[in-house]
Amino acid sequence: MTSIRRFCCDDLLRFAHVNLDHLTETFNMSFYMTYLARWPDYFHVAVAPGHRIMGYIMGKVEGQGESWHGHVTALTVAPDFRRQKLAKKLMTLLEDFSDQMDKAYFVDLFVRASNTPAIKMYEKLGYIIYRRVLRYYSGEEDGLDMRKALSRDVEKKSIIPYKRPITADELEYD
């Protein structure tokens, strides 16, 4: 049976096979360690019997005022474990924590514009394409900024789409 738990330091030595997908962003160890230290409630792993890592979600909470939001930095599921609603479970965990504990207005994420299966999955989970970010990925491929409003955003202001694409320089970073 699958179990979902907080990511721990030992998992950093066991999750490389999950990152082999060409659409998965990989980071250096210090990046993962920063998330683990600063936002442990936003970093979870799904584990199969025998302790094999099936997938993980890594995120954070950031922003100010009505821009206070949960952010999905990485979500990936190993190919052998896809189509089991594992990504949905991990996303729901991050969304619920953002909504109930941190009282965020929305959750956002970036996805490659070419990653149609992921975009469709996020849309099924209630995300909308908020805006296109030109050459977001390595200065080559466009990214889509997708958002889902949470209960605090009663008027759904956070998901009113931009009318034009933006560049990465125009992004707000917190």
Side-chain angles (χ1 to χ4, degrees):
M1 183 170 144
T2 302
S3 64
I4 297 177
R5 61 167 172 74
R6 274 191 181 175
F7 200 94
C8 65
C9 289
D10 290 347
D11 296 325
L12 289 169
L13 305 173
R14 302 179 23 234
F15 80 133
H17 71 280
V18 179
N19 284 344
L20 294 178
D21 183 319
H22 70 283
L23 294 172
T24 298
E25 286 288 311
T26 56
F27 307 98
N28 61 44
M29 283 295 184
S30 65
F31 190 85
Y32 292 106
M33 291 297 289
T34 298
Y35 272 73
L36 196 52
R38 291 189 63 191
W39 302 285
D41 294 324
Y42 285 81
F43 204 165
H44 285 84
V45 63
V47 182
H51 307 291
R52 185 161 180 223
I53 293 179
M54 303 166 73
Y56 68 91
I57 191 164
M58 178 174 67
K60 61 184 175 179
V61 64
E62 62 184 357
Q64 296 176 3
E66 290 183 355
S67 291
W68 181 246
H69 66 282
H71 175 73
V72 179
T73 303
L75 169 68
T76 191
V77 175
D80 294 351
F81 299 106
R82 292 183 183 158
R83 302 256 180 245
Q84 297 179 29
K85 300 191 188 262
L86 195 51
K88 178 181 180 178
K89 290 175 186 172
L90 291 166
M91 288 294 292
T92 300
L93 189 65
L94 187 140
E95 291 166 7
D96 288 348
F97 201 86
S98 297
D99 192 32
Q100 297 165 14
M101 300 305 291
D102 283 322
K103 308 293 186 215
Y105 285 87
F106 61 93
V107 171
D108 79 341
L109 58 91
F110 291 87
V111 62
R112 290 178 183 273
S114 65
N115 193 348
T116 305
I119 294 165
K120 288 182 179 184
M121 180 198 70
Y122 292 129
E123 288 175 336
K124 283 182 187 174
L125 295 176
Y127 286 77
I128 60 101
I129 297 171
Y130 177 68
R131 59 189 170 185
R132 178 179 286 265
V133 183
L134 302 173
R135 296 172 302 282
Y136 179 75
Y137 288 97
S138 302
E140 297 172 10
E141 184 174 358
D142 291 356
L144 300 178
D145 180 354
M146 299 187 76
R147 290 185 176 189
K148 180 178 183 176
L150 299 177
S151 63
R152 189 170 182 192
D153 185 6
V154 177
E155 296 177 24
K156 309 294 184 220
K157 291 179 186 177
S158 66
I159 60 170
I160 298 170
Y162 263 49
K163 296 187 185 331
R164 65 169 183 84
I166 67 166
T167 64
D169 294 342
E170 297 175 88
L171 287 171
E172 320 82 31
Y173 290 103
D174 297 312

